Amino acid sequence: MLCLLCQQDYHCDFSLPHFLARQPDRADLLCPDCLAAFSLLTGPVCAGCGRSFAKGPFCADCCYWQRKGAPNLQHRALYHYNEQMKVYMAAYKFQGDYRLALVFRKELTAFVRRLKRHYQANLVLPIPVSPTRYQQRGFHQVAGLLAPGLRQQGLVVAQEPLQPQSALTRAARLASAQPFAIAENWQPHLKGQRILLVDDVYTTGRTLQHAAACVLAAGAQAVFSCSLAR
Ligand SMILES: [Zn+2]
Ligand SMILES: [Zn+2]
């Protein structure tokens, strides 16, 4: 089989009838070398943003957010945003290979469901994609990483960013204006709810803080967040 990330031809250990009878999984898409290069985020983490951190409850970035009065989203991520995850995100998001969503869908779905129980959240909202980006790509990059039952589109991108977030400097991202709005007819569904936001990658926390501010302004009681990587 050809690995979708490194294009290496690799041996996959099953018979064709077996392969046809089951749901494809990550071993059908990526070679063992590529799979082994992802790094799970384990060990002590910051209580605010979920980065590896053992020197206290909150890292310096989270102390900055707290001084600005931002809510503590108790963010948790599954993987480190290492070189391999960058390669994966580039192929998935920027080259738009939707098959790659399957590499993490099962695992991220289980992670989100676990956190949903842990935070006693009643609603999961993936970070939305802008209409322009949706047209270019043909899929919702974050929702695609989740099982269909977790793809509620309660948030929309109201303001089209001039440049993709990935093209901005850290300072520009931190200063960017609120890009999100509540989707039509969704306002009543958010009132008094505990919401778990899901993103693909946590970089500065700005995107999730914007989304959190948006749902809190709509009457949500509490908001938490998680991502595939950070
Ligand atoms: Zn590979
Ligand atoms: Zn932190």
Side-chain angles (χ1 to χ4, degrees):
M1 306 194 56
L2 273 192
C3 171
L4 289 185
L5 280 190
C6 71
Q7 319 307 327
Q8 128 175 234
D9 197 358
Y10 70 103
H11 175 69
C12 207
D13 222 8
F14 45 69
S15 66
L16 189 62
H18 179 212
F19 177 65
L20 294 174
R22 70 195 183 106
Q23 288 282 316
D25 70 24
R26 62 176 72 183
D28 309 329
L29 304 168
L30 303 188
C31 72
D33 297 340
C34 278
L35 286 175
F38 292 109
S39 168
L40 273 170
L41 211 161
T42 53
V45 296
C46 165
C49 66
R51 68 154 49 108
S52 289
F53 188 69
K55 286 187 223 140
F58 296 105
C59 72
D61 280 357
C62 286
C63 292
Y64 163 84
W65 284 116
Q66 281 167 4
R67 280 198 302 276
K68 296 198 78 171
N72 174 10
L73 300 179
Q74 300 180 51
H75 187 86
R76 292 297 176 270
L78 254 180
Y79 284 92
H80 287 284
Y81 190 48
N82 64 3
E83 280 312 310
Q84 179 70 352
M85 191 56 87
K86 283 180 197 162
V87 169
Y88 169 84
M89 283 297 168
Y92 176 53
K93 290 186 357 187
F94 304 116
Q95 292 154 38
D97 190 341
Y98 190 62
R99 294 170 297 174
L100 286 169
L102 284 175
V103 174
F104 293 112
R105 188 179 293 159
K106 230 193 258 175
E107 194 182 12
L108 185 65
T109 295
F111 181 66
V112 167
R113 291 203 166 119
R114 216 159 53 233
L115 286 175
K116 184 174 178 251
R117 279 195 300 276
H118 175 72
Y119 293 132
Q120 298 183 316
N122 20 38
L123 189 59
V124 172
L125 292 180
I127 293 298
V129 60
S130 75
T132 314
R133 208 138 292 272
Y134 180 72
Q135 275 192 338
Q136 289 165 349
R137 218 172 265 158
F139 61 89
H140 288 273
Q141 71 205 36
V142 183
L145 292 169
L146 297 168
L150 297 176
R151 296 179 189 168
Q152 306 262 37
Q153 296 294 316
L155 277 172
V156 292
V157 175
Q159 186 194 312
E160 202 71 45
L162 296 173
Q163 289 171 295
Q165 282 279 301
S166 51
L168 299 178
T169 63
R170 183 181 166 83
R173 279 193 216 193
L174 286 172
S176 61
Q178 171 64 273
F180 302 118
I182 303 301
E184 216 182 321
N185 302 325
W186 264 83
Q187 197 94 10
H189 302 298
L190 302 178
K191 241 187 178 57
Q193 302 299 299
R194 298 170 66 83
I195 292 167
L196 175 60
L197 300 169
V198 186
D199 205 354
D200 47 9
V201 179
Y202 181 111
T203 313
T204 60
R206 189 64 174 169
T207 300
L208 285 163
Q209 285 294 348
H210 274 317
C214 193
V215 297
L216 288 171
Q221 182 209 105
V223 58
F224 311 93
S225 67
C226 63
S227 60
L228 174 63
R230 72 102 56 243

